[in-house]
Each structure stands twice: as structure tokens, then as C-alpha cells.
């Protein structure tokens, strides 16, 4: 037994702002800004948002607090703010992805950090430190769970490992000791939940369960802060996370290189608002369309090869060829691929084309298959092979990496522009002010001076 729970807890408790390399802090700020763009736009546009707000009202959970929900006009209690920011930020499926663990780190971690940061009057430096701690914990646990095995068991790692990441961020801001963080992780083990069953009917569970992981992390850390005794060995124990949620766990990955190798630098961002497993294929389709001047009438057949995880999430022709909901579209290689090939681009507003006759006709020409070349010797499962058959012959590309991965991470200007495109329709001129504040977060003695710029 390698005591993974205690090792991670000690790392979180001992981490200092000064310990974190500058490039890691810069990446954390950019990832935070990227996440907030999705949160703000989803507050206005995501079709699941009214249901969330009505639920909170019906249960009298909509009382006024001091915590910010980005893109909202009122302030909320910390736990509810974490829930809403987490759910909203994941609703567009435009938030960041850690390839090795196949999870979205910011969605559970950033909402927990801001909720508790505002609660305790933390500085921007404190919040950035907590965000990095949370990223490291959830990404490492996702690695240890083995995403292929975790998916095969029907679990959603952003919601499961993400609960621990949220607890780490919240616990860091509360100033919890190592033993208290162990207790918070113990509670997290009872709360870690997230089912892939949403894929069957394009349900909104995925958004909610990620928001719930952010809220549950805040609750777990708050319990530990108030002397609640949580279970020990929550990660590696006989009934712990790695045993209960995976058939092929790798415990060593939870702590390998801890404090030296930063998983934060391995987090990629999305150029398209859809499942990350579609992105390499979308890159290839858009590039091939441009290079060969392809038009829909020239296309005879398109074959997309994906990793088996991508097939599980996006490639079932019987249920995903002609999606009718946004979630269905987000997890359809057929719809997203046909859309990209039809118009040469893909953004959030293009979900207006769900049910479009031209897109559906092009989707009928798509086959999505498992490609073993994307499984052997690859560092992560997000690659794609694209083969387009036309009257002129067969055009084929193999993209091992989708754009936005660490080796092709967008520059600061591109990241800020993505944020502003999402946030300006909601915040107007305040969007630019919020962007500047987040990108200089370490200068704020109280984080609320920055976050209040995100209120509508």
C-alpha cells in the first residue's frame, strides 16, 4: 500500500504559491478564463439552466449569499454557487480536457475554488494555488482510475475524480491540515458519482453531476473543517475509489512525480463545443475540405476511425446519426463531422442546425469505426483517422492530436478572444474587464474584487 490518499492530502496541505512554477500559474489563469467563458454563456443559453434555477427555488435553496455565479445578477450561498458554476461551465461542452485522464478539470475545481475563496476572503494568489492543487488531484486520480476501464464501468471521471479535485481546492482555501484533507477525501469517496447513462437520450445529467461534484467537494471540505471524521484510505482502500470504480487501476499514477511534474500543463482546451473525442476528426475534416475544395455533393462516403472510448461516447450509429438535442449533438461524431464538412467551421451557435436536412443527408454518408492504430503506442486516446471518398478518389488523414493540446496550445490572444466571443453577449463591456482581472488574478488581495466583474 502506497498511501495515495495521505500523500495527496499532504501535497495539498503543504503547497505554496511560491512553489508553483510561473508557467503553471499562467496556464491555470488561462484555463480559468476559458472555463468562465462557457459558464457565462451557458447562464443565458443552455437549455438546462431554467430547470436548475427552478429546482433551487422550489427547494428554497435560492437564498442570497455572497458567492458569485458568473453571468448571473444575484449572489448565492457558496455551495449553490459551486453547483451552478460547475453545471453551467460544463453545459456547452466547450471546457478544457486533460487527455490522459479524459476528464474536464476546471469544471469541478474552479467553481469550488471561487466559492470558498469568496467565503473566506482569500487573495487571488490563494485561489490560484487552490486551483492548481485541485487540478493536480483530479487529473492524477483520473490517470490512476484508467479512463478506458472507468468508462467501461459506466462512470464519468469528471464527476468522480472531480469531486476529489473540488475538495482539494476547497480544503486548501480553508487552510485544512493533512489529516483534515484526508477526512475531506473520505467524504468525497462517498459522494463521487457520475453515470454515462446520459448518452442514451442526450440527457442533462452530465452537466448536473459535474456541478454536483463541485458542490460536494465544498461540502466535504467544510465538514472536515468542522471536525467531521471522514474515512481514511479513500483512494486506495479495500472499498476505495480505485477498487470500486475501475477494473484496471494504476495507483502509482496518483502520485508519480507529484510536485515536480505538473498535470496542469497537460490540460488542453477545446476549439469546438463538443466531446473531445470528435475534435481530431473535426480538425481533419475542416483541413481536408479546404485543401481539396470539397463540397457536400462531391462526398460519396466518410469513414472516421476513433479510439474505442470515442466509439462509446460518440460513434453509435443507431442512436447518434441524427441527434435532436444539443447534448445528443455534442456526443455525435456524425452530426459534428457533417456540420464541419458542410460549412468548414463549428461553433456554439451552430447547434441551431440540429435537424437540418443538408446536415442529416451528409451524416448519412458517415461511418464511425474503431481504429486500433489509435490505441497502440499513443499517449492519449483523442486521435482520429479520417477517410473521405469522392469521385476523384480517397483522401485520408491521421491526426494523432486534436488542436488545443499542450503541444498546440493557443496563444494568449486566441484564448482571450474565445472567452470574449462567449462572454460579451452576456456581460457586454464587463467581459473585457473580467478577462483582464482573471489574467492578473495574483494581484488581487481579495478575489471577490475580480469575481464581482462576472456578475451581470
Amino acid at each position: 500500500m502506497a498511501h495515495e490518499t495521505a500523500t495527496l492530502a499532504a501535497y495539498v496541505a503543504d503547497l505554496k504559491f511560491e512553489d508553483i512554477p510561473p508557467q503553471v500559474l499562467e496556464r491555470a489563469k488561462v484555463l480559468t478564463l476559458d472555463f468562465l467563458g462557457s459558464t457565462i454563456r451557458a447562464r443565458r443559453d443552455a437549455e438546462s439552466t431554467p430547470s436548475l434555477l427552478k429546482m433551487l427555488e422550489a427547494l428554497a435553496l435560492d437564498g442570497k449569499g455572497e458567492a458569485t455565479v458568473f453571468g448571473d445578477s444575484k449572489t448565492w450561498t457558496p455551495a449553490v454557487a459551486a453547483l451552478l458554476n460547475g453545471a453551467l461551465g460544463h453545459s456547452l461542452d466547450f471546457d478544457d480536457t486533460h487527455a490522459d485522464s479524459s476528464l474536464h478539470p476546471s469544471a469541478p475545481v474552479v467553481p469550488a475554488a471561487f466559492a470558498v475563496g469568496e467565503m473566506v476572503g482569500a487573495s487571488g494568489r490563494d485561489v490560484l494555488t487552490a486551483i492548481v492543487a485541485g487540478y493536480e488531484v483530479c487529473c492524477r486520480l483520473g490517470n490512476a482510475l484508467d479512463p478506458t476501464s472507468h468508462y467501461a464501468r459506466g462512470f464519468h471521471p469528471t464527476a468522480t475524480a472531480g469531486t476529489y479535485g473540488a475538495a482539494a481546492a476547497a480544503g486548501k482555501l480553508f487552510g485544512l491540515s493533512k489529516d483534515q484533507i484526508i477526512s475531506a477525501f473520505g467524504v468525497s469517496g462517498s459522494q463521487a458519482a457520475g453515470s454515462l447513462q446520459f448518452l442514451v437520450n442526450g440527457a442533462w445529467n452530465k452537466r448536473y453531476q459535474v456541478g454536483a461534484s463541485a458542490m460536494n467537494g465544498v461540502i466535504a471540505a467544510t465538514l472536515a473543517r468542522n471536525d467531521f471524521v471522514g474515512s481514511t484510505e479513500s483512494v486506495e482502500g479495500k472499498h476505495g475509489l480505485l477498487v470500486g470504480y475501475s477494473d484496471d487501476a494504476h495507483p502509482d499514477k496518483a502520485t508519480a512525480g507529484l510536485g515536480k511534474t505538473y498535470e496542469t500543463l497537460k490540460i488542453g482546451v477545446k476549439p469546438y463545443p463538443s466531446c473531445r473525442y470528435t475534435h481530431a476528426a473535426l480538425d481533419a475534416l475542416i483541413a481536408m475540405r479546404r485543401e481539396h475544395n470539397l463540397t457536400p455533393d462531391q462526398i460519396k462516403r466518410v469513414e472516421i476511425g476513433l479510439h474505442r472510448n470515442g466509439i462509446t461516447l460518440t460513434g453509435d450509429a443507431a442512436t447518434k446519426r441524427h441527434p435532436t438535442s444539443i447534448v445528443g449533438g455534442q456526443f455525435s461524431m456524425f452530426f459534428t463531422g457533417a456540420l464541419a464538412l458542410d460549412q468548414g467551421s463549428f461553433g456554439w451557435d451552430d447547434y441551431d442546425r440540429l435537424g437540418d436536412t443538408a446536415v442529416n443527408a451528409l451524416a448519412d454518408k458517415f461511418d464511425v469505426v474503431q481504429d486500433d492504430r489509435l490505441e497502440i503506442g499513443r499517449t492519449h486516446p483523442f486521435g482520429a483517422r479520417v477517410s473521405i471518398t469522392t469521385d476523384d478518389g480517397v483522401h485520408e488523414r491521421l491526426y494523432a492530436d486534436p488542436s488545443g493540446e499542450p503541444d498546440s496550445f493557443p496563444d494568449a490572444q486566441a484564448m482571450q478572444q474565445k472567452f470574449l466571443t462567449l462572454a460579451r453577449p452576456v456581460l457586454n463591456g464587463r467581459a473585457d474587464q473580467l478577462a483582464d482581472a482573471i489574467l492578473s488574478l495574483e494581484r488581487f488581495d481579495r478575489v471577490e474584487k475580480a469575481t464581482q466583474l462576472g456578475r451581470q
Side-chain angles (χ1 to χ4, degrees):
M1 186 181 299
H3 306 291
E4 286 81 8
T5 308
T7 301
L8 289 171
Y11 169 77
V12 173
D14 294 341
L15 184 64
K16 297 179 178 60
F17 180 84
E18 296 78 13
D19 297 334
I20 304 172
Q23 66 269 30
V24 176
L25 293 168
E26 289 302 311
R27 182 61 55 86
K29 288 187 289 185
V30 170
L31 293 170
T32 297
L33 181 69
D34 183 62
F35 173 75
L36 294 182
S38 291
T39 306
I40 291 163
R41 189 64 173 269
R43 174 61 185 86
R44 192 192 75 174
D45 284 7
E47 72 276 33
S48 52
T49 301
S51 297
L52 287 170
L53 297 175
K54 289 175 182 176
M55 175 273 292
L56 295 170
E57 180 182 2
L59 297 177
L61 295 173
D62 61 338
K64 181 176 174 57
E66 301 301 324
T68 299
V69 169
F70 292 88
D72 199 281
S73 58
K74 65 171 284 186
T75 51
W76 301 74
T77 60
V80 172
L83 168 67
L84 285 174
N85 283 324
L88 293 172
H90 199 51
S91 289
L92 306 190
D93 223 319
F94 217 171
D95 49 324
D96 55 33
T97 307
H98 181 260
D100 291 349
S101 61
S102 192
L103 61 78
H104 305 268
S106 286
V109 169
V110 171
F114 278 130
V116 176
E118 290 179 317
M119 178 182 175
V120 302
S123 68
R125 289 162 60 102
D126 294 336
V127 170
L128 282 172
T129 304
I131 288 172
V132 171
Y135 284 162
E136 293 299 311
V137 167
C138 71
C139 291
R140 289 168 173 281
L141 289 179
N143 291 344
L145 282 164
D146 183 80
T148 299
S149 176
H150 200 47
Y151 278 132
R153 291 281 297 272
F155 290 113
H156 180 209
T158 306
T160 54
T163 304
Y164 284 78
K172 182 63 184 174
L173 286 160
F174 280 140
L176 300 188
S177 67
K178 169 188 169 182
D179 288 343
Q180 287 174 309
I181 295 172
I182 289 173
S183 280
F185 286 164
V187 177
S188 297
S190 294
Q191 297 170 313
S195 166
L196 294 179
Q197 190 65 19
F198 69 86
L199 291 167
V200 173
N201 64 329
W204 297 338
N205 298 54
K206 182 172 185 279
R207 306 166 180 190
Y208 171 77
Q209 64 200 24
V210 171
S213 72
M215 176 180 67
N216 287 337
V218 170
I219 292 172
T222 306
L223 284 168
R225 187 191 194 199
N226 289 284
D227 302 321
F228 189 88
V229 179
S231 60
T232 58
E233 300 177 2
S234 172
V235 172
E236 72 277 9
K238 179 181 178 181
H239 303 293
L241 182 76
L242 299 184
V243 174
Y245 291 69
S246 177
D247 294 316
D248 188 26
H250 305 279
D252 57 300
K253 291 186 177 182
T255 57
L258 187 62
K260 297 178 181 177
T261 301
Y262 280 87
E263 297 300 317
T264 300
L265 292 176
K266 301 178 185 179
I267 299 171
V269 294
K270 288 186 173 185
Y272 315 109
S274 60
C275 177
R276 189 60 164 158
Y277 284 95
T278 67
H279 284 210
L282 296 177
D283 286 338
L285 288 165
I286 291 170
M288 294 166 76
R289 178 186 187 274
R290 181 176 58 249
E291 180 179 336
H292 300 289
N293 296 312
L294 296 176
T295 58
D297 59 289
Q298 296 175 297
I299 308 298
K300 304 302 180 184
R301 180 174 180 267
V302 179
E303 183 175 275
I304 308 292
L306 298 177
H307 185 280
R308 58 186 142 161
N309 292 357
I311 299 295
T312 298
L313 294 177
T314 73
D316 177 26
T319 60
K320 297 183 180 298
R321 189 176 295 278
H322 298 146
T324 57
S325 69
I326 289 178
V327 175
Q330 289 168 328
F331 285 85
S332 169
M333 187 69 258
F334 304 91
F335 169 76
T336 57
L339 182 70
L341 193 54
D342 181 64
Q343 63 185 36
S345 62
F346 176 35
W348 170 249
D349 293 322
D350 293 322
Y351 282 108
D352 289 343
R353 297 194 68 187
L354 282 164
D356 182 282
T357 301
V359 174
N360 283 347
L362 196 50
D364 286 335
K365 300 179 181 181
F366 275 64
D367 291 312
V368 183
V369 300
Q370 181 177 334
D371 193 323
D372 290 339
R373 285 177 290 179
L374 300 167
E375 306 216 13
I376 300 171
R378 303 288 178 184
T379 58
H380 64 70
F382 288 148
R385 176 185 56 80
V386 174
S387 176
I388 302 176
T389 302
T390 70
D391 288 334
D392 297 329
V394 178
H395 310 285
E396 185 166 294
R397 291 275 185 91
L398 179 68
Y399 273 41
D401 292 302
S403 56
E405 285 300 298
D407 289 342
S408 58
F409 200 86
D411 61 26
Q413 183 178 359
M415 291 300 299
Q416 189 160 354
Q417 187 56 50
K418 178 187 173 184
F419 168 81
L420 293 174
T421 299
L422 289 168
R424 274 178 176 159
V426 180
L427 296 182
N428 300 312
R430 291 171 71 92
D432 297 79
Q433 297 176 53
L434 178 60
D436 291 342
I438 296 300
L439 293 176
S440 59
L441 195 60
E442 71 278 7
R443 293 203 234 158
F444 288 83
D445 60 344
R446 292 178 69 89
V447 74
E448 66 189 36
K449 294 179 182 178
T451 55
Q452 66 184 0
L453 296 170
R455 300 170 191 167
Q456 192 176 25

